[in-house]
């Protein structure tokens, strides 16, 4: 068993009673793709390969350059064998990747699932094709988690340690981070992850009126249309954050503006005012190169504290004027 690759992002697991399972099929796919040589003695070729309206989870190449089609499941699937049969039919007709694959060798069909429905075994027994069935499970040993894959025919099993994506404990009074934020966290370094989670806690603990709302690919914080901040990823896949600040101190009659910042969740660089979306207002346009200069870096925590104080003043002004 070799060490976990440093290039592999942490894998998200979820607890199911006294056992563990992958959060979704994509997490299982990412992990197995990295360790195909260790688990199945083959080399990865393509992931999510599409052919004739079919989508194969993984294509790999064996020792004799034979093509291996791998279908993954995180739950039992009664129709797994017919699914692999359709993949075989499409691939046998089209013969993709012919410059890398020896189609004189039989195409191998592999299923990897946590369990198999009795109909799966019946389909395998009477099919003209040959299928290789593997069963996977996650075992926790001390503080580590391992994926164990068992060949149901030979009873050989292999295992690798899983680099598990784990969050610090969320305060009991707060909900867990939304799935969109969990996706972002997996892209972060441990230090960035810690700062983002602290930022979220600071916002939600500031005032009971502040709500966390996911809209599309953004997370908004505030009350109704009175926003404190918006967190998102821009089209260039850069983390960014928006704060609502006044252009001057006399902001109580609609003069609050949405300001965009580039961020790594620790520091922030000023981009300018941005009425909607990601397009900067023409009057305050700042070039991408200018944004990332070191002298433009500011503490994200300080900016957040300022935004929270301004939001509270706006809410108080609104309350006082509605009561008068």
């Amino acid at each position: 068993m070799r060490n976990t690759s440093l290039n592999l992002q942490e894998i998200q697991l979820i607890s199911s009673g006294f056992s563990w399972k992958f959060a979704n099929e994509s997490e299982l796919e990412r992990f197995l793709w990295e360790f195909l040589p260790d688990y199945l003695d083959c080399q990865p070729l393509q992931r999510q390969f599409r052919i004739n309206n079919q989508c194969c989870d993984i294509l790999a190449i064996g020792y004799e350059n034979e093509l291996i089609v791998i279908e993954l499941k995180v739950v039992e699937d009664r129709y797994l064998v017919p699914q692999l049969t359709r993949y075989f039919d499409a691939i046998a007709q089209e013969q993709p990747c012919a410059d890398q694959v020896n189609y004189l060798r039989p195409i191998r069909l592999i299923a990897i699932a946590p369990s198999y429905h009795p109909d799966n075994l019946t389909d395998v027994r009477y099919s003209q094709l040959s299928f290789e069935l593997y069963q996977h499970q996650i075992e926790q040993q001390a503080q580590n988690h391992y994926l164990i894959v068992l060949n149901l025919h030979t009873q050989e099993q292999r295992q690798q340690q899983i680099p598990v994506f784990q969050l610090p404990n969320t305060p009991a009074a707060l909900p867990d981070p939304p799935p969109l934020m969990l996706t972002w966290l997996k892209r972060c370094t441990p230090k960035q992850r810690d700062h983002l989670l602290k930022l979220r806690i600071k916002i939600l603990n500031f005032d009971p009126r502040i709500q966390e709302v996911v809209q599309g690919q953004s997370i908004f914080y505030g009350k109704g249309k009175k926003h404190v901040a918006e967190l998102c990823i821009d089209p260039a896949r850069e983390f960014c954050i928006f704060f609502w600040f006044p252009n001057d101190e006399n902001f109580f009659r609609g003069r609050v503006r949405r300001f965009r910042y580039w961020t790594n969740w620790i520091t922030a660089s000023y981009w300018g005012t941005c009425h909607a979306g990601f397009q900067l207002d023409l009057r305050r346009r700042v070039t991408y190169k200018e944004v990332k200069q070191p002298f433009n870096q500011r503490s994200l925590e300080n900016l957040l504290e300022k935004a929270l104080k301004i939001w509270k003043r706006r809410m108080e002004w609104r309350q006082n004027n509605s009561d008068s």
Side-chain angles (χ1 to χ4, degrees), residues 86-213:
R86 293 193 299 271
Y87 295 164
F88 174 88
D89 180 62
I91 289 172
Q93 292 187 54
E94 299 291 335
Q95 296 193 352
C97 308
D99 58 330
Q100 299 171 271
V101 175
N102 179 7
Y103 280 101
L104 296 178
R105 303 293 305 168
I107 298 173
R108 293 171 59 191
L109 302 174
I110 293 180
I112 304 179
S115 61
Y116 289 91
H117 191 278
D119 286 355
N120 297 147
L121 306 181
T122 301
D123 291 338
V124 168
R125 187 178 304 116
Y126 292 100
S127 175
Q128 297 181 22
L129 300 175
S130 177
F131 297 89
E132 302 172 43
L133 304 184
Y134 289 78
Q135 188 170 3
H136 71 77
Q137 66 176 8
I138 296 171
E139 284 192 2
Q140 183 174 2
Q141 302 173 17
Q143 299 301 313
N144 298 321
H145 297 76
Y146 296 85
L147 176 65
I148 298 175
V149 175
L150 171 69
N151 184 319
L152 294 185
H153 177 67
T154 65
Q155 293 300 299
E156 178 189 6
Q157 70 176 30
R158 301 183 183 185
Q159 70 177 33
Q160 288 287 341
Q161 183 178 345
I162 305 171
V164 179
F165 172 71
Q166 293 179 321
L167 292 174
N169 292 330
T170 302
L174 297 181
D176 290 334
L180 179 60
M181 183 172 287
L182 296 179
T183 301
W184 299 345
L185 290 170
K186 286 189 286 186
R187 286 185 49 189
C188 295
T189 65
K191 185 176 181 181
Q192 291 171 341
R193 181 184 306 161
D194 182 60
H195 278 261
L196 174 54
L197 292 171
K198 286 182 178 178
L199 176 144
R200 175 180 182 263
I201 292 171
K202 188 178 186 71
I203 295 175
L204 294 177
N205 279 338
F206 179 77
D207 190 293
R209 293 171 294 183
I210 292 180
Q211 300 172 336
E212 181 179 51
V213 179

Side-chain angles (χ1 to χ4, degrees), residues 16 52 74 91 98 231 250 268 294 299:
S16 177
N52 292 355
V74 292
I91 289 172
L231 283 57
N250 183 25
S299 166

Side-chain angles (χ1 to χ4, degrees), residues 213-228:
V213 179
V214 178
Q215 293 184 8
Q217 295 302 306
S218 293
I219 303 176
F220 290 87
Y221 295 90
K223 175 69 173 177
K225 294 184 179 180
K226 299 291 185 183
H227 299 305
V228 177

Side-chain angles (χ1 to χ4, degrees), residues 3 19 32-33 39 56 58 68 89 107 111 118 125 131 135 138 147 149 152 169 189 222 239 245 248 252 265 278 321:
N3 292 330
S19 62
L32 277 175
W33 174 263
Y39 280 115
C56 311
I58 294 177
I68 303 174
D89 180 62
I107 298 173
R125 187 178 304 116
F131 297 89
Q135 188 170 3
I138 296 171
L147 176 65
V149 175
L152 294 185
N169 292 330
T189 65
F239 290 122
F245 289 138
D248 53 54
F252 295 110
W265 307 125
F278 298 95
N321 280 268

